[in-house]
Amino acid sequence: MLRFLARRAAWFALTTWVVITLAFVLLRAAPGGPFSNERKLHPSVEAALREQYHLDWPLWKQYLQTLGPLNLDERGWLGDGAEPFGGLLAGDFGPSMQHRDVSVNDVLASSLPISITLGSLALALALVLGLSAGVASAHSPGSKLDQLVRALATSGLVLPNFVLASLLVLVFAFWIPVLPVAGFGTPRHLVLPSIALALPFAAYIARLSRAGLLETLSKDYIRTARAKGASRARILWRHALRGALAPVVSYLGPAAAGVLTGSLVIERIFAIPGAGTHFIASALNRDYTLAMGVTVVYAVLVFGFNTLVDVAYTLLDPRLDLEQEA
Amino acid sequence: MSERAAPTRPSWFRDADYELAAVQIERLRPESPWRKARERLGRRASVRWSLRFLVFLALLSFLAPLLPLPSPAAITVAAEPAPPVAPWSAFGDHKFVAEYWELNPLDRALVSLRTSLFGKWRTGPWLGTDALGRDVLARVVWGSRTSLLVALCAALTSLVIGATWGALAGLVGGRLDNLLMRIVDVLFAVPTIFIVIFTLSFLDTPKNAVGQAPLLSREQVFFLVVGAVSWLSMARVVRGQVLELKRSAFVEAARIAGASTPWILRVHVLPNVLGLVIVNLTLTLPSVILYEAFLSFLGLGVEPPKVSWGLRAAEGAEALNPLESYVWLIAAPAVAMALTLFALQTLGDGLRDAFGVEERSER
Amino acid sequence: MPRPMMAHAPAVWIRRTLAALLVALVVGAVLASALGTRRERADFVFTGGGEVRSLDPHAATGIPEGRVIRALFEGLVVRDPQTLAPTPGCAESWEISPDGRTYTFRLRADARWSNGEPVTAADFVWSWTRLLEPRTGAEYAAQLWCVEGAREFATGADSARDPTRLGLRALDERTLEVRLAEVQPRLLDVLCFYAFVPLHRASIEALQKRHPTRWSTLWTRPEHLVSNGAYYLAERRIHERIRLAKSPHYWDADGVAMRTVDVLALESWSSALNLYLSGEIDWVDGAIPANLVGQLTQREDFRATPYLGVYFYRVNTTRPPLDDVRVRQALSRALQRAEITNKVLKAGQMPSHSFTAWSRVGSYTAPAMAPADAVAAASLLAAAGFATPASKGVGKPFPKLELHFNSSETHRAIAEVVAHQWKRTLGLDAKLRNQEWKAFLSAQSSLDYDLSRSSWIADYADPGNFLEIWTSDSPNNRTGWKNARYDELIARARGTLNEVQRNALSREAEQILLSELPCIPIYSYVSQNLVNPRLGGFDDNALNEPSLARLYWRDGAELEAARKADTRGKKRAPAPGPNQGLRSPRVDALLYEASGGAQGRPLNEDER
């Protein structure tokens, strides 16, 4: 296990570095910059601003400065006095080019916990809904219940999420005014956004768990248990659930990273100050520093969850060998 | 010709279990998966109906210029969106105006055929009109063309890139496999919006004169953009299947029996992979359509006056508010999208069962 | 071989872990959300169409930022919310020399920072020096280049940068002298702008010493920010809300009624509307989607006021056939602008026949361009050698035009109608091309467009604000149009003190602009506000800048009286809020005197 984790850590470092480089190249290659505006700045002002944020340096130098850990700026970072270290490797994401008086660390520190809160709730909800739906329909495959549950589960996947969110707001905040319209602060504010966020995932989990359950149910050892006289329900809960979980877990890995970093649509409609907005907005506004920060966070989450999933997979299926898997 | 041996059926097996057992047995004999697949596909009513609906939809959108609908681009600058009027109250009128965006020759021929068939008659506002006076039904039907075309092309792009990538990785194995899959991992970790913006700007070539046609139309750019972000999961899935097939029992058996590699590829590997690929294609289409809706919500989608379901849904989403809901503006594209995606999912499930492919996610 | 025995143990383990994980997730999420601190609703909550990106007056460029900065800080002069004229703010009086080149401002004795220290003239000198520093990258620094030595300071070499050579002098603690190198007749209007507020030098320099590299992201935090306005910064949550609290040290604290103000950052107009309709927001400002305008204009709480902004299409005059002035004239005259404003926008926008918004800015009346006339437009196009529906095949076909705009519902609708109108009257085809914002700006700057949508909003009510952007060297021109006579006229107008002469020069310049048409004006903006009817002191003006310090809550009686006096005949809207009103002590005292003691109350000892 330790060797596996060590090897994983090495790969993680390498792939994160490649992700950072790729994101850097993609962003700089897109036209427009962070300071372009309808009201164009005077050329000397724009030149001064660009110099401030090192946008006048050659690209390779900007890249090294972004990466760190050495601070290549003799003047120090937006102030007087130089600090020897900076950049991503030193944990310093720099000032946000869009919010000129706030640092990227501050932006992420204030928005990520909110997204993670909402995302965790949505994931939990999705798991509960999805697994119960999957179990219910695998309990009696082909029956009316199965078909109904499958239809419901699919319906979570057929509407764009902004339509779903708007519908939820209309129904539960205006027609039946039980929940707040938008905002963030109390547990009641979390209900509608987490439902909107959870539904597509719940639908997919329902399908996956149903298929996994059916697959497991046809295995030999289930038949043995059956032959020994165990009831169908007992078989489902005790033995087959493990089989159901395998595809769910491997799906959840990458999906969890996406859920936890938030969704722009949900955050915009429900006015939640999460990180999902920053993912899209930083790219659309060419806020290079914030975009790099967001990329790093996302890459860390994706790789972290992938590793978790691999570890969980081996716990679920002892036949798999982690060494071989890596 | 091998006959399918009918297994004896224990009393407590239900129909679906029996089906599943049969599927398991079938997998040991992959000689003619196509025939089996077709048989199994036709077995469930929901799958049959989905297929029929999709065929109907495809025909409808292909023949859209021929139908006696109002023009989807003709603007009458009305003040308010008008609600739907039932067909029996306003079946049609004679105010058709042939105003469209640039059409290809086939569509132009269809339009001229339509005018000669129906003259100036057009259907009434059965689904209402939007704020610029355009008929919602016409826009939904014409929008289906764009949505389906985008979905298909994007899915095919993802297929071409993704399946090749994954098959190569799975077949060759070793270092190349590792490298290719690491590249996929890396691309998975980059936020897709960066790729979208970059590809959009990269493909949006500047013009130098008025009237100069760009190299790629915006729609074509869109196909490539969406395809560029969707091929990753296809690659993983194909690789996984190829790997499993490489290790599977019947390939081993064939190898022991002395079969050559090309023969194994053709008879054992290819049909199974193709099955998986078709299934995945059917299941990628919904996510592509939804992603197109998301990009339209952000304003990066298809350009007007062309219309797609995503664009209509995004425009209509503003209509859902407590003051005055212009429900029909959002209901029509939402229902159309929901039905189509539903049919696609059901068909995909049916295909999956038919080909005996496991429900597998991207690992 | 699968081992049933093995299948047993992990199953229980897995189930228990899963259940525990789920419970932990849910509980954690609920707890964490409770940490989002439920606080009391502020006295006044509003949203201004987007996030407040920066509280640094020198770095901020947008309208939402302007509102908050104007509440936090106070400059020498502030705009009267009703007339938009400069009125005493931090400065209680000023003298202007006869040649217009020296301004002497006398600061109030009781002007205080939020930490109690007095505001001094040296604070202003230091702040404006920082503004002019090129390293600050302030967009509005160019407005102060009329000051002696400022242009060299801002654009010269690093070594030559000497702040003592600037024409800014603190004659004593409370007297500020500003000497101009170039005559600027509207300097007081310029100084109303939020970039020219003072900053507290001592606290910023102390922070710079403590954190030499990070101070720029720390000084606007609530615990560090020292401001001199009616409010101080109580809380700032990025991308969510900014909470302002009434400053007890403000010289006019008696006149401020709202004790706390919340500024929300809402990106989606429908969420803003939803929150307003459920009573959580008291004022929404923003571009309303065209679908809803019809509904909202009938309500009493909808206020549409003429706004000093104009929407127009830039024409790329370097691309044939758009380089032919007859073609541009034809395109402009073929448009039915009233159709756009009445059928698409519907909020009372005015079709534009000149570039200066509303054709009247202050005392200036703009000339009108050639009126809309489809026949004349077609004949102009034919004269330029192109085929029109009327020309019956004579002339070459007009190439396909591209209407370039950034992604937005309104721009799309307007572009579609414009294309439709051109098709109808001139028979020409136009395609639409939308891009995301930054790519759009980049394409516009590099002249990669045929016609590109733009808007221009003035800083103060002066025609020069509008006309200046069309000079050859203006970075906001972006059309490739150059006219030497135009440049000359604008330069002369800028330096003329006499208003009548200035207006005449501007008029002549605009005449040239409207006959050359490097831009096609479409309509003049209206500001669209949804304001709680119970809110008092909300003044509509042409720059949509009500004064936050003057807002108060009307009590039931006053609301009824206001509704009776409203003769527009609009639908009643819900007016949630404190029924007994919330007034400032000064208003209370006035009411006390006026009602002979029946209402309000006299000023307390400490408020006198």
Side-chain angles (χ1 to χ4, degrees), chain B residues 96-111:
Chain B
F96 175 66
V97 168
E99 201 176 305
Y100 296 96
W101 47 80
E102 257 169 16
L103 295 175
N104 59 53
L106 175 62
D107 287 340
R108 276 202 292 267
L110 284 173
V111 170

Side-chain angles (χ1 to χ4, degrees), chain A residues 54-103:
Chain A
H54 306 315
L55 293 175
D56 55 338
W57 282 355
L59 267 183
W60 61 264
K61 201 172 175 195
Q62 283 186 50
Y63 171 67
L64 286 177
Q65 174 79 347
T66 312
L67 204 53
L70 291 176
N71 183 1
L72 299 171
D73 180 12
E74 330 71 46
R75 228 187 20 208
W77 179 94
L78 293 183
D80 309 290
E83 270 214 353
F85 296 112
L88 296 175
L89 288 178
D92 174 17
F93 293 140
S96 161
M97 289 186 187
Q98 216 186 300
H99 312 79
R100 297 219 335 244
D101 55 346
V102 175
S103 71

Side-chain angles (χ1 to χ4, degrees), chain B residues 44-122:
Chain B
R44 267 213 302 262
S46 56
V47 177
R48 282 203 303 272
W49 277 107
S50 303
L51 200 55
R52 282 180 201 145
F53 174 76
L54 287 171
V55 169
F56 166 69
L57 185 68
L59 270 178
L60 194 71
S61 60
F62 182 71
L63 294 176
L66 190 58
L67 297 172
L69 296 168
S71 159
I75 297 181
T76 30
V77 193
E80 298 282 330
V85 178
W88 44 90
S89 318
F91 191 56
D93 54 44
H94 288 269
K95 296 203 214 116
F96 175 66
V97 168
E99 201 176 305
Y100 296 96
W101 47 80
E102 257 169 16
L103 295 175
N104 59 53
L106 175 62
D107 287 340
R108 276 202 292 267
L110 284 173
V111 170
S112 50
L113 186 59
R114 177 231 193 272
T115 7
S116 49
L117 274 179
F118 298 105
K120 283 208 164 270
W121 190 84
R122 62 172 193 183

Side-chain angles (χ1 to χ4, degrees), chain B residues 238-254:
Chain B
V238 169
R239 171 191 177 263
Q241 179 74 341
V242 168
L243 275 184
E244 190 177 304
L245 282 173
K246 258 170 64 172
R247 294 189 220 140
S248 69
F250 52 82
V251 172
E252 275 295 310

Side-chain angles (χ1 to χ4, degrees), chain C residues 44-47 67 258 269 273 276 281-286 288 296 299-305 527-540 544 546 551-554 559 563 568 571-576:
Chain C
F44 179 61
V45 183
F46 74 98
T47 174
R67 295 212 176 101
M258 302 291 187
W269 202 89
L273 177 66
Y276 176 81
I281 303 184
D282 305 311
W283 170 33
V284 179
D285 164 35
I288 304 183
L296 290 173
R299 290 164 61 110
E300 64 169 338
D301 51 1
F302 180 75
R303 302 194 193 201
T305 325
S527 60
Q528 297 165 16
N529 292 319
L530 269 176
V531 182
N532 189 330
R534 197 176 286 268
L535 195 63
F538 190 98
D539 298 307
D540 296 304
N544 204 18
L551 297 173
Y552 66 95
W553 286 113
R554 295 173 170 155
L559 178 62
R563 277 175 163 164
R568 294 175 305 166
K571 272 201 320 228
R572 287 270 176 270

Side-chain angles (χ1 to χ4, degrees), chain A:
Chain A
M1 170 70 82
L2 274 178
R3 255 187 48 179
F4 164 73
L5 283 176
R7 208 142 20 121
R8 263 305 165 99
W11 268 120
F12 166 60
L14 182 65
T15 31
T16 312
W17 171 69
V18 175
V19 168
I20 291 174
T21 315
L22 191 60
F24 183 88
V25 167
L26 285 177
L27 276 174
R28 302 305 170 117
F35 305 119
S36 44
N37 219 332
E38 174 97 56
R39 222 173 236 260
K40 212 152 184 235
L41 295 173
H42 195 273
S44 65
V45 175
E46 188 163 3
L49 261 182
R50 290 174 67 81
E51 194 201 325
Q52 192 77 281
Y53 289 91
H54 306 315
L55 293 175
D56 55 338
W57 282 355
L59 267 183
W60 61 264
K61 201 172 175 195
Q62 283 186 50
Y63 171 67
L64 286 177
Q65 174 79 347
T66 312
L67 204 53
L70 291 176
N71 183 1
L72 299 171
D73 180 12
E74 330 71 46
R75 228 187 20 208
W77 179 94
L78 293 183
D80 309 290
E83 270 214 353
F85 296 112
L88 296 175
L89 288 178
D92 174 17
F93 293 140
S96 161
M97 289 186 187
Q98 216 186 300
H99 312 79
R100 297 219 335 244
D101 55 346
V102 175
S103 71
V104 171
N105 296 53
D106 287 335
V107 174
L108 289 178
S110 62
S111 60
L112 269 180
I114 295 175
S115 284
I116 291 179
T117 307
L118 192 60
S120 317
L121 199 56
L123 268 183
L125 199 63
L127 270 175
V128 165
L129 276 178
L131 280 178
S132 359
V135 164
S137 70
H139 181 80
S140 46
S143 69
K144 286 286 184 286
L145 176 66
D146 175 28
Q147 288 180 351
L148 177 66
V149 172
R150 284 178 87 175
L152 277 178
T154 316
S155 60
L157 290 171
V158 301
L159 280 180
N161 51 357
F162 52 89
V163 173
L164 210 55
S166 310
L167 269 175
L168 282 174
V169 169
L170 202 59
V171 171
F172 291 106
F174 282 106
W175 291 352
I176 319 169
V178 284
L179 291 168
V181 171
F184 184 82
T186 62
R188 283 175 71 218
H189 281 106
L190 285 179
V191 176
L192 283 181
S194 49
I195 294 179
L197 204 51
L199 278 177
F201 295 102
Y204 214 69
I205 290 177
R207 297 158 57 82
L208 285 175
S209 55
R210 175 190 181 276
L213 269 175
L214 286 179
E215 172 83 16
T216 317
L217 279 176
S218 63
K219 290 244 171 24
D220 289 342
Y221 64 87
I222 297 293
R223 270 210 265 163
T224 314
R226 234 354 239 186
K228 289 199 321 188
S231 76
R232 202 165 173 77
R234 193 182 158 82
I235 289 175
L236 264 178
W237 279 107
R238 291 212 117 186
H239 305 281
L241 200 63
R242 188 163 56 83
L245 282 181
V248 170
V249 160
S250 66
Y251 163 69
L252 268 190
V259 175
L260 290 181
T261 43
S263 150
L264 170 87
V265 170
I266 305 288
E267 287 174 13
R268 203 184 266 197
I269 292 181
F270 290 102
I272 293 176
T277 326
H278 295 304
F279 270 83
I280 311 284
S282 64
L284 289 177
N285 290 319
R286 308 290 193 272
D287 186 346
Y288 297 137
T289 41
L290 184 57
M292 293 310 295
V294 138
T295 310
V296 168
V297 166
Y298 187 62
V300 166
L301 277 176
V302 166
F303 292 132
F305 273 105
N306 278 353
T307 313
L308 263 178
V309 161
D310 282 338
V311 169
Y313 226 67
T314 59
L315 293 174
L316 287 175
D317 186 354
R319 287 176 296 171
L320 282 178
D321 183 7
L322 271 177
E323 303 297 310
Q324 214 179 45
E325 187 68 16

